Amino acid sequence: MSWRVVEMVKGMARIRKQRGEPLPGKMGREDIGQEKGAFEEFEATSLYCPRCGRAVPVRKRLLLVLIDGEIYEYICAYCSESLGSKTVKGGEQVEVLV
């Protein structure tokens, strides 16, 4: 990093401290509960493919529909290798008629 970037970051930290704002990476206990809901579900855009030998874009394919959710499979966009799966719990209940 250049000295200009370091001085700029230090200056921004001083301003935040004067305003009473939390510094980046230093959250108080009261902030933890607010941030908890921000990352409830992740969506993969690229994963490592052992066949291709690098990180590649992935496609998400619906693999199975269950009563309590759905299972998705992540597939390599280049060689169609299965790279992983994800289970999504359904928010709404589905009625099954037999």
Side-chain angles (χ1 to χ4, degrees):
M1 262 205 264
S2 73
W3 64 272
R4 288 182 183 177
V5 173
V6 172
E7 290 301 317
M8 184 177 70
V9 170
K10 285 181 182 178
M12 290 172 62
R14 268 193 306 271
I15 292 170
R16 284 184 172 214
K17 197 172 185 179
Q18 289 171 352
R19 291 181 183 170
E21 298 175 4
L23 297 176
K26 301 205 177 202
M27 294 175 52
R29 291 195 181 272
E30 63 277 353
D31 297 330
I32 292 173
Q34 296 172 357
E35 295 292 325
K36 191 175 186 179
F39 299 106
E40 293 223 357
E41 187 173 324
F42 287 101
E43 199 66 40
T45 56
S46 63
L47 293 171
Y48 178 77
C49 177
R51 186 183 287 175
C52 296
R54 60 188 171 120
V56 294
V58 293
R59 289 182 298 214
K60 184 176 163 183
R61 182 178 77 162
L62 180 61
L63 189 64
L64 187 63
V65 177
L66 303 170
I67 292 174
D68 61 339
E70 298 154 347
I71 299 177
Y72 291 92
E73 180 180 32
Y74 288 110
I75 299 173
C76 174
Y78 301 124
C79 68
S80 299
E81 177 83 12
S82 177
L83 303 178
S85 64
K86 173 183 179 180
T87 303
V88 177
K89 300 289 182 188
E92 60 184 64
Q93 295 295 326
V94 179
E95 283 189 37
V96 179
L97 300 175
V98 182

